[in-house]
Amino acid sequence: AINMRTLVSAQSALRMKMFFYGICPRISAGRNTCGRGAFFNISVPEEDPGIKHDSAYNRDLAMALGIRDYQGTFFLPSDRDASEKVAALLRQASGSLVGAHPGGAPSRRWPADNFIRSLNLIHEREPVTVVLTGSSDERSLLSSIARSIKAPVINCAGELSIGELIALIQRCAVYISNDTSVMHIAAVAGVPQIALMGPGDLTRFDPRVLSRHAFVFYTKAACAPCNKVICRDLRCLRSILPEDVARQACILLGEKKEQLNSI
């Protein structure tokens, strides 16, 4: 049994220890975060906050398990059915496809009004169709944003499997995302992306480590990084201006067009 997550507290380490005790694996492996994972048979040292990218800790764990030819490369599986569903979903889309993921943990969410403002500014400069992605729990958030966007909108909240989400992101000319799992999917997919980093650990989760097509907006706050789920301040995210995000998105859209024209 392998745990590939940070043990962020003594309490989380105890829960993981009891879980492993319950399933009783022949060999247990995981991250020994600040000494909290000493119960693993095979462990790799990890700091909190981290001093290197999360993928590097996974590489260390893979090598500790004996995988000596690990190259540290990533790929996304292709799913023909998922691709066909996404193609049908986007059949009526016109212009460039701009993806946006406004959800995630509340402390990682760029304000919804900022998403609306930036997407409307992009639409004023470029003919685009906006596709919104999110979980079923985020339907209300995405619906409120969709109603205020002037461009054609496709709201996919709670409608996509993981395979379909991957296929959709791969179709985007630009993908704008909060600091969530989809940010990393876009990075591995090599899609031009704008990552809105708030209180998360940039050293640990910078998508530019995985992609040369990623652009990151990040302002280091005195209180960051933090593991809060909810924050009433959000000074780290509020410092990111919609005008700057829209300007960068248009730059990426222009670069994408140049690449297509050169083919």
Side-chain angles (χ1 to χ4, degrees):
I2 305 171
N3 173 54
M4 301 178 74
R5 296 287 291 177
T6 298
L7 301 176
V8 297
S9 66
Q11 184 180 15
S12 66
L14 179 60
R15 286 199 298 265
M16 186 58 61
K17 182 178 181 179
M18 295 304 296
F19 175 71
F20 272 49
Y21 178 81
I23 62 176
C24 195
R26 185 170 62 87
I27 296 174
S28 65
R31 301 181 184 188
N32 188 1
T33 313
C34 300
R36 301 179 191 123
F39 57 89
F40 295 121
N41 300 128
I42 299 173
S43 66
V44 297
E46 177 189 43
E47 297 76 16
D48 187 19
I51 60 173
K52 54 187 176 182
H53 196 265
D54 207 61
S55 61
Y57 286 111
N58 288 336
R59 177 197 61 210
D60 294 346
L61 185 55
M63 295 181 69
L65 288 165
I67 305 174
R68 299 302 176 192
D69 59 346
Y70 178 71
Q71 301 298 314
T73 55
F74 300 85
F75 73 95
L76 291 172
S78 59
D79 185 325
R80 182 175 179 179
D81 291 339
S83 297
E84 290 177 351
K85 178 179 176 178
V86 168
L89 180 69
L90 302 177
R91 188 172 293 122
Q92 302 302 320
S94 58
S96 299
L97 190 67
V98 174
H101 193 88
S107 65
R108 264 61 172 172
R109 291 182 185 179
W110 197 40
D113 288 345
N114 286 2
F115 265 102
I116 293 168
R117 171 72 174 157
S118 64
L119 291 169
N120 282 337
L121 285 173
I122 294 168
H123 178 58
E124 289 176 6
R125 303 172 191 177
E126 297 279 349
V128 299
T129 293
V130 173
V131 57
L132 300 175
T133 58
S135 68
S136 56
D137 294 336
E138 295 164 345
R139 282 194 174 109
S140 178
L141 170 66
L142 268 62
S143 294
S144 65
I145 291 174
R147 287 192 294 268
S148 300
I149 295 176
K150 299 174 183 177
V153 180
I154 301 173
N155 185 350
C156 297
E159 301 297 329
L160 303 175
S161 66
I162 292 296
E164 291 159 359
L165 176 63
I166 291 172
L168 177 65
I169 291 175
Q170 289 173 328
R171 295 281 296 269
C172 291
V174 174
Y175 194 73
I176 306 171
S177 172
N178 292 327
D179 177 13
T180 67
S181 58
V182 296
M183 177 184 76
H184 304 295
I185 292 176
V188 175
V191 173
Q193 71 173 133
I194 295 176
L196 307 169
M197 296 289 293
D201 188 349
L202 186 64
T203 299
R204 193 66 168 268
F205 300 112
D206 191 337
R208 292 171 295 190
V209 172
L210 305 178
S211 172
R212 60 187 180 88
H213 301 291
F215 188 93
V216 173
F217 281 96
Y218 176 73
T219 300
K220 178 69 168 66
C223 50
C226 78
N227 293 317
K228 288 182 178 179
V229 176
I230 297 175
C231 176
R232 296 181 180 179
D233 189 291
L234 287 181
R235 69 184 68 181
C236 52
L237 282 167
R238 295 184 188 280
S239 66
I240 303 172
L241 302 180
E243 292 78 9
D244 292 339
V245 172
R247 186 179 303 110
Q248 184 59 40
C250 289
I251 291 173
L252 294 176
L253 286 171
E255 292 176 352
K256 185 72 171 180
K257 287 180 180 178
E258 290 180 4
Q259 291 174 1
L260 292 175
N261 291 335
S262 65
I263 297 176

